[in-house]
């Protein structure tokens, strides 16, 4: 028998368009493309030979110590409400695997939104129903009436993904809109609210404590953004204890490494939380600097969205003042290839014509970016 790889790989995997990482195009220079935390990690954790990490042993499969710290930090009633995963990407994948039957069920997403929801659905052979955000005037709010219509029409939808603050929109969703979806009586599936950027909102916006009231709610968060720990890959899902138990039973037993767990535990101690809060102040300050300066450039038409995250969306316009993808893409390439600053082109996303998504950098990074942009945009 001749071995033919393509005849044994699942057709949905063969057809897969993989997630396009920010670093796939450019990976050197000032990196303002992946919404990381330029101000650095919230912990100075250093490994030393006295640390007795017991690396010859498997890590704690339950992440008990880490969950205790997370429970206190996030004000959630019990450690039983937590799942700890390899980034929040693991929670996205688990939610789909746990609730959706391959080749039958669907998820609902609200574009423009985070790309991994669709990639995970495709990997798991799950359909995707799209109910776009209201993108008029850069509002980027969900439209509960349309979501409810889609849910009522298709009982195979099992997970609704809402992103708040959204990526790439930077806009926190209205609580009443989320409640309307959670309370929709004709829907028997779960609502997953992705709060990867929630700490960057100036007024407290997490709805994690709602899991006490809503058994159909999953909130996912991450240490990758506000805590500046994208490299350790630790994310969490908060839900009813029943859902958390199912997630914990489904994951690989030792999904989070001892090293990652130790760093996360260190970041969630008082000094780590203080450093994170300090970094937030810096990011808010630089976000304001960035927005104010961008607004003065004639070829920036609007700053779209709510600016509730650690990035901004600048809409570039042509000489007639119209949003212009060709111009934005040329600026993006020029910045990366000649000026050593990498941002993300987002002009192909719904409601984001002409947009560059720019992560907030350090004072120095922002200064350099603005100098380069001033040169390209005036
Ligand atoms: C909205 C959103 N959710 C989740 C993630 C994934 O984060 P993590 O590093 O926790 O996997 C990202 C990463 O950029 C994101 O933008």
């Amino acid at each position: 028998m001749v071995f033919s790889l393509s005849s044994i790989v699942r057709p949905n995997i063969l057809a897969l368009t993989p997630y396009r990482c920010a670093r796939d195009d450019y990976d050197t220079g000032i990196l303002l493309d992946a919404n990381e935390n330029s101000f650095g990690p919230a912990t100075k954790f250093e490994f030393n030979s006295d640390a007795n990490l017991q690396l010859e042993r498997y890590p704690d499969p339950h992440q008990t110590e880490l969950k205790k710290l997370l429970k206190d930090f996030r004000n959630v009633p019990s450690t039983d409400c937590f799942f700890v995963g390899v980034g929040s990407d693991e929670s996205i994948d688990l939610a789909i695997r746990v609730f959706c039957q391959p080749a039958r069920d669907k998820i609902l997403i609200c574009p423009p939104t985070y790309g991994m929801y669709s990639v995970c659905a495709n990997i798991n052979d799950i359909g995707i129903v799209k109910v776009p955000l209201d993108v008029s005037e850069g509002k980027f709010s969900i439209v509960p009436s349309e979501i409810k219509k889609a849910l009522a029409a298709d009982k195979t939808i099992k997970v609704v993904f809402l992103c708040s603050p959204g990526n790439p929109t930077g806009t926190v969703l209205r609580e009443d809109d989320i409640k309307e979806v959670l309370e929709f009586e004709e829907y028997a599936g779960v609502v997953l609210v992705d709060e990867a950027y929630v700490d960057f909102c100036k007024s407290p916006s997490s709805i994690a404590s709602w899991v006490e009231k809503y058994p159909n709610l999953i909130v996912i968060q991450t240490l990758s953004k506000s805590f500046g720990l994208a490299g350790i890959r630790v994310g969490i899902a908060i839900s009813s204890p029943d859902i958390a138990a199912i997630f914990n039973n489904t994951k690989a037993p030792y999904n989070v490494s001892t090293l990652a767990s130790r760093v996360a535990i260190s970041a969630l101690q008082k000094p780590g939380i203080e450093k994170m809060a300090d970094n937030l102040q810096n990011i808010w300050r630089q976000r304001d600097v960035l927005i104010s300066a961008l607004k003065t450039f004639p070829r920036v038409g609007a700053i779209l969205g709510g600016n509730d995250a650690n990035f901004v969306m600048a809409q570039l316009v042509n000489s007639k003042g119209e949003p212009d993808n060709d111009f934005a893409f040329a600026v993006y390439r020029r910045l990366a290839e000649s000026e050593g600053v990498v941002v993300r082109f987002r002009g192909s996303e719904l409601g984001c014509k002409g947009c560059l998504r720019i992560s907030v950098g350090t004072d120095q990074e922002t200064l350099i970016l603005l100098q380069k942009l001033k040169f390209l945009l005036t």
Side-chain angles (χ1 to χ4, degrees):
M1 187 79 88
V2 180
F3 176 71
S4 158
L5 183 61
S6 60
S7 69
I8 62 162
V9 176
R10 292 169 64 184
N12 60 305
I13 300 294
L14 273 183
L16 192 68
T17 307
Y19 182 73
R20 209 165 162 72
C21 295
R23 294 293 129 77
D24 286 341
D25 296 321
Y26 305 105
D27 61 1
T28 50
I30 295 178
L31 298 173
L32 303 177
D33 55 336
N35 305 336
E36 294 149 333
N37 191 328
S38 281
F39 289 88
T43 168
K44 288 200 172 63
F45 188 89
E46 278 169 14
F47 294 105
N48 64 57
S49 50
D50 305 329
N52 194 17
L53 291 170
Q54 291 198 290
L55 294 181
E56 73 283 11
R57 303 290 174 198
Y58 284 109
D60 173 10
H62 310 295
Q63 295 299 328
T64 313
E65 194 179 348
L66 180 52
K67 283 182 187 169
K68 273 192 199 131
L69 292 165
L70 286 166
K71 171 184 106 63
D72 294 340
F73 177 62
R74 290 302 186 193
N75 223 354
V76 171
S78 161
T79 53
D80 293 341
C81 299
F82 284 90
F83 159 78
V84 182
V86 181
S88 35
D89 283 342
E90 186 178 359
S91 300
I92 294 167
D93 184 59
L94 258 189
I96 292 176
R97 283 198 288 137
V98 159
F99 296 109
C100 300
Q101 188 76 42
R104 187 193 73 187
D105 289 337
K106 302 193 183 86
I107 63 165
L108 185 149
I109 64 170
C110 301
T113 195
Y114 181 48
M116 276 302 284
Y117 311 144
S118 296
V119 173
C120 283
N122 290 333
I123 290 170
N124 290 294
D125 203 6
I126 300 302
I128 301 165
V129 173
K130 296 180 182 174
V131 179
L133 297 177
D134 175 359
V135 299
S136 55
E137 295 129 43
K139 237 187 252 132
F140 296 127
S141 48
I142 55 168
V143 188
S145 58
E146 291 298 316
I147 294 176
K148 291 198 295 191
K149 214 189 288 171
L151 294 175
D154 191 340
K155 298 296 175 197
T156 66
I157 298 172
K158 298 294 165 64
V159 187
V160 172
F161 283 90
L162 304 178
C163 194
S164 180
N167 175 8
T169 69
T171 304
V172 82
L173 298 179
R174 291 180 56 230
E175 290 191 354
D176 284 349
D177 287 350
I178 300 174
K179 276 188 189 152
E180 208 174 322
V181 181
L182 280 166
E183 290 172 5
F184 183 44
E185 281 172 3
E186 290 175 51
Y187 177 51
V190 298
V191 178
L192 184 149
V193 178
D194 184 343
E195 293 189 340
Y197 299 98
V198 75
D199 294 325
F200 300 111
C201 298
K202 276 207 166 154
S203 47
S205 296
S206 177
I207 59 163
S209 61
W210 293 12
V211 298
E212 280 197 274
K213 177 169 179 208
Y214 293 103
N216 55 342
L217 171 65
I218 301 168
V219 174
I220 66 171
Q221 299 176 344
T222 180
L223 297 192
S224 298
K225 308 295 181 181
S226 57
F227 281 89
L229 290 169
I232 66 165
R233 314 299 303 124
V234 171
I236 59 174
I238 305 167
S239 65
S240 70
D242 289 343
I243 291 181
I246 291 171
F247 273 33
N248 284 309
N249 290 343
T250 312
K251 75 177 177 71
Y254 308 113
N255 58 335
V256 176
S257 76
T258 300
L259 300 178
S261 170
R262 282 297 188 99
V263 177
I265 286 166
S266 160
L268 284 156
Q269 314 283 338
K270 198 161 170 267
I273 291 171
E274 282 169 3
K275 171 81 169 106
M276 185 275 268
D278 230 41
N279 283 350
L280 284 184
Q281 296 294 334
N282 289 325
I283 287 166
W284 287 332
R285 190 170 31 78
Q286 283 311 301
R287 189 169 72 187
D288 289 346
V289 168
L290 182 61
I291 292 169
S292 313
L294 286 170
K295 282 183 176 164
T296 66
F297 298 153
R299 299 291 292 269
V300 174
I303 306 297
L304 289 190
N307 299 312
D308 297 315
N310 65 337
F311 54 85
V312 301
M313 279 240 288
Q315 189 169 51
L316 306 197
V317 294
N318 59 24
S319 50
K320 291 186 230 140
E322 299 153 345
D324 187 328
N325 266 354
D326 291 339
F327 177 57
F329 194 72
V331 170
Y332 154 75
R333 287 192 59 179
R334 178 87 186 269
L335 267 180
E337 291 173 11
S338 317
E339 310 295 336
V341 181
V342 187
V343 299
R344 205 128 200 233
F345 174 71
R346 277 288 168 253
S348 316
E349 306 270 333
L350 184 76
C352 304
K353 192 166 180 198
C355 280
L356 299 182
R357 193 195 67 194
I358 307 172
S359 309
V360 176
T362 60
D363 306 29
Q364 181 68 8
E365 288 172 336
T366 307
L367 195 71
I368 296 172
L369 166 80
L370 289 172
Q371 277 166 358
K372 310 277 186 196
L373 276 179
K374 190 168 186 184
F375 170 65
L376 295 173
L377 296 180
T378 47

